Amino acid sequence: MKTSRSLHIMCSIPVFCWITATVLEHMLTTEQRGELPKTLTDMYSHFLLVQTKRKKNKYHEGHEMSPQELMEADREVLLKLGRLAFEHLEKGNIMFYQEDLEQCGLDVTEASVYSGVCTEIFKRECVIFQKPVYCFVHLSIQEFLAAVYMFHCFTNRKTKVLKMFLKSESFTKMIFSLFDNKDLQSLDVFLRRVMEKSLQSKNGHLDLFVRFLHGLCLESNQRLLVGLLGQTEISPGTIQRVINNLKEMNSDEISPDRSINIFHCLMEMNHLSLFQEIQEFLKSENRSEKELSEIQCSALAFMLQMSEEVLDELDLQKYNTSERGRQRLIPAVRNCRKARLTQCRLSESHCEVVASALKSNPSHLTELDMGGNYNLQDSGVKHLCGFLESPGCGLETLGLESCGLSEISCDYLAAALKSNPSHLRQLDLSNNKKLQDSVVKHLCGFLESPGCGLETLGLMDCGLSEISCDYLAAALKSNPSHLRQLDLSNDSWSSTNKNNLQNSGVKHLCGFLESPGCGLETLRLESCGLSEISCDYLAAALKSNPSHLRQLDLSYNYKLQDSGVKHLCGFLESPGCGLETLGLRDCGLSEISCDYLAAALKSNPSHLRQLDLSFNNKLQDSGVKHLCGFLESPGCGL
C-alpha cells in the first residue's frame, strides 16, 4: 500500500480501509488472485466486482437464473445507481429521498436488498418525520459509480438514455451536450473538456470523479467491468493524447490545489514516468539546474506535502521553472517550516490556497514571506488572517513587503493578531505606500495587547508622518519589553509616499526610548528628513537609558550635519553605551564630525564594531586623520 501514494493517503479513511480489506480478502482467498490494485480506480473496480459476486451467492440461492440474466440484472441496477450518483454529484447532494431513486428507475425495495452493492454501498437512514433517506456509504463510492455511468454513456452515446438528460443543467448539461458535438467524438477531447470544467471548481468537489473517469480508460479496468461498460476498444494513440493533454493543460485560471488533480489523473492512468522524474529530482544534488514543467511542479507539490519528512524551507525562487510553475508549488506549504513565496505575482486566490493549506495542517510553519507580490492587496491578507487567528497557528515571522496593502489590511491583521498574539515575533509591512498613519493606529491595538511578543517591526516606506511615531511611542511604552528592532526608514531612491517623520516624530519616539522597560536594540531612521535637533533628542533619551541599543542608522538625513554628530557623541561617550553599529552615510558631514567621533570613541572605544561614513564628500583626508586617533587606541574593536 505504501508504494502507491494515491492509495496510501486514503488509508486514513475507515471506509476505504474496509473497501481495501474486502478486495484483498477476496483476492488472497480465491484462485483468481491476479495483480494487486495499484490505483484508486483499480481498487474500486475490484470492489464493485466482489460485491456483484457476493450478490449472486447471497440472494439467488434456489433461483434459476442463467449467467446472462444475472449479468443483465447487475448491469441494470448498477447503471441506475450510477445515474443517481452522477445526477446528484454535481449538485452536491449526498442524501436522497425515495422519489430521487424512482426518477432513476430504481425500485426502492429492490435497491434495498438487491445484492451486496446495495446493502453494503447503499444504506437507508431514518430522520425527522421518519421519512426514508438514502445515501452511499461514502462519497468516494458515489463518485466512482458516477464515473462508471458517465464512461458507459460515452461509449454507448447513441442509446436512448442520453436523450433523457440533454435538458439537465450545469455540469451535467455540459457533459451530455458534448455527445452531440461531432467534433468531440474522440475520448481524449471529451476528457480534456471534462477536466477543464472540473478545474473551475473552487472546492474540488469533482476531483475524484474526474480521476476515476481517467482511470477507467485503462484496458485492465475495462476488462474488470466489461459487464457494465461492454466491449470497448481504446487505441494506444488515444491514450497517449489523453496523457499529453493532461501534461500540457494551461494553468492561467487554475488554482494550484486544483492543478494537483491533473497529476492524480496521470497516476490513475498508470503513467508513472512523472512520479519517477520527481523522485529523481528530489534525490539530485543540482536541483537548480533542472528545469521543471508546470505539471512536474504539481507533482512535486503533491510529493512534498505528502512526505513524511517536514521540509525545512520552501523557496519558490530556487526552482528553475516558469512563474505559473512556481504558483503550482504553493500547496507544499502544508508541510514545511519556512515558506518564501516572494515575487511570484501571487494574487488573492493564491492567498486563499495558502491560508486553506496552513489551516489544514498549520503546526509546522514558523516563517512565511510573501514579499514582492503586488497583487495580494487587502483581500489577500484577509484570507491569511483566517490562518493567523486559528488556534494551531505558530507563525513567528510574517513578511508582506511590497504587497500593495492599505490600512484595511492592517485592520484585519491587528484583529487576527490580538485574538492570537503570542507567537508572532517578526512583522514586515515595508514598502506598502498606501498604509499611511492609520496603519500604525490599527497595529498599536495589537502592540499594546498583553500577549504581544513582537520583536521586529518593519514599516519602511509606508507614507508615515510624526503622528505614527506618537501612536507607536504610546503603545510601546504601555508594553515596551518585547520590541527589539524598529525600522521606520525610507528607500533613499524613493521620491513618493516616504516616511516623513521629521524632528517632531523622533521626539515622540524618544518617549519610548527613555522608558525603563525599553529593550530596543536596532533603530533605523534612514532618509526620514531629520536634522541636528533629532540627534539632540536621541542623544538625551539614549543617555538616560543607554544599555540596550546596538544598532542606529541615521543615513541619508543630509540635514544632520556636523552639529548633529556632536549631539550624538554625548551618547557615544556615556559609560553605559553599548552601540555596535552606527550608520551616518550621506549626512552632509565634514572633517569636524570625524574629530567629534574620534574623541568620543576614544573615551569609550570597546563596543563599536561597524561605522559607515560613506558619501560624506566633505570628510577629506583630514577627516580620516582624526579617525585614525581612534583606530590606533588600545581598546578599539572596530
Side-chain angles (χ1 to χ4, degrees), residues 99-251:
E99 51 267 34
D100 297 320
L101 275 66
E102 291 172 349
Q103 284 177 5
C104 294
L106 277 165
D107 178 81
V108 173
T109 304
E110 182 185 44
S112 299
V113 298
Y114 191 96
S115 83
V117 173
C118 299
T119 55
E120 293 196 48
I121 294 180
F122 210 64
K123 63 181 179 181
R124 167 177 166 166
E125 304 263 352
C126 290
V127 290
I128 299 174
F129 310 124
Q130 300 299 302
K131 187 175 182 180
V133 177
Y134 302 86
C135 68
F136 293 96
V137 168
H138 192 258
L139 179 58
S140 62
I141 299 290
Q142 181 177 349
E143 291 166 314
F144 176 68
L145 284 177
V148 169
Y149 175 70
M150 173 51 45
F151 204 88
H152 162 79
C153 288
F154 180 83
T155 55
N156 300 272
R157 52 188 174 281
K158 292 184 179 180
T159 59
K160 294 180 181 179
V161 68
L162 294 174
K163 297 178 181 178
M164 297 170 59
F165 304 109
L166 291 177
K167 295 181 181 180
S168 300
E169 296 298 323
S170 193
F171 186 67
T172 309
K173 181 177 181 180
M174 184 280 297
I175 287 183
F176 281 109
S177 69
L178 295 181
F179 298 126
D180 274 358
N181 190 329
K182 293 181 180 179
D183 296 329
L184 297 177
Q185 298 301 305
S186 176
L187 179 64
D188 57 293
V189 179
F190 168 68
L191 288 177
R192 176 164 56 83
R193 290 292 182 86
V194 174
M195 172 60 88
E196 287 171 349
K197 185 69 176 178
S198 73
L199 288 171
Q200 295 173 13
S201 165
K202 285 191 173 181
N203 60 6
H205 73 296
L206 298 170
D207 282 1
L208 201 53
F209 163 75
V210 174
R211 284 166 64 180
F212 284 134
L213 205 53
H214 281 79
L216 290 170
C217 292
L218 290 186
E219 189 271 337
S220 57
N221 290 324
Q222 292 168 26
R223 189 169 60 249
L224 286 171
L225 301 176
V226 65
L228 276 174
L229 301 176
Q231 291 290 342
T232 56
E233 291 186 10
I234 303 174
S235 70
T238 300
I239 294 293
Q240 189 58 52
R241 286 197 298 274
V242 173
I243 290 171
N244 291 342
N245 286 341
L246 289 170
K247 286 185 172 183
E248 297 166 6
M249 191 151 287
N250 192 308
S251 64

Side-chain angles (χ1 to χ4, degrees), residues 469-518:
C469 294
D470 195 12
Y471 295 147
L472 277 172
L476 294 171
K477 281 174 73 176
S478 69
N479 187 21
S481 60
H482 297 292
L483 201 69
R484 295 292 180 265
Q485 299 183 46
L486 177 62
D487 188 353
L488 297 173
S489 302
N490 288 299
D491 182 345
S492 59
W493 304 106
S494 174
S495 58
T496 58
N497 288 74
K498 297 178 71 170
N499 290 332
N500 190 24
L501 302 185
Q502 303 293 330
N503 299 317
S504 49
V506 174
K507 186 177 184 180
H508 290 304
L509 279 178
C510 287
F512 160 57
L513 292 173
E514 61 194 9
S515 60
C518 174

Side-chain angles (χ1 to χ4, degrees), residues 359-428:
K359 285 170 75 176
S360 66
N361 184 17
S363 59
H364 300 305
L365 196 74
T366 57
E367 295 185 22
L368 175 61
D369 189 353
M370 302 187 74
N373 292 294
Y374 295 98
N375 296 321
L376 280 192
Q377 308 292 328
D378 300 319
S379 49
V381 173
K382 188 175 184 180
H383 288 301
L384 282 178
C385 287
F387 162 57
L388 292 173
E389 59 194 9
S390 63
C393 173
L395 197 70
E396 297 177 1
T397 300
L398 176 60
L400 293 170
E401 181 184 354
S402 304
C403 288
L405 311 183
S406 76
E407 63 174 292
I408 299 172
S409 297
C410 291
D411 196 12
Y412 295 146
L413 278 172
L417 293 171
K418 279 175 73 177
S419 70
N420 187 22
S422 60
H423 296 292
L424 201 69
R425 295 292 179 265
Q426 299 182 45
L427 176 61
D428 192 354

Side-chain angles (χ1 to χ4, degrees), residues 3 60 87 115 199 206 362 367 449 481 504 521 527 540 567 603:
T3 60
H60 291 291
E87 287 188 353
S115 83
L199 288 171
L206 298 170
E367 295 185 22
S449 59
S481 60
S504 49
E521 296 176 356
S527 193
H567 290 302
S603 69

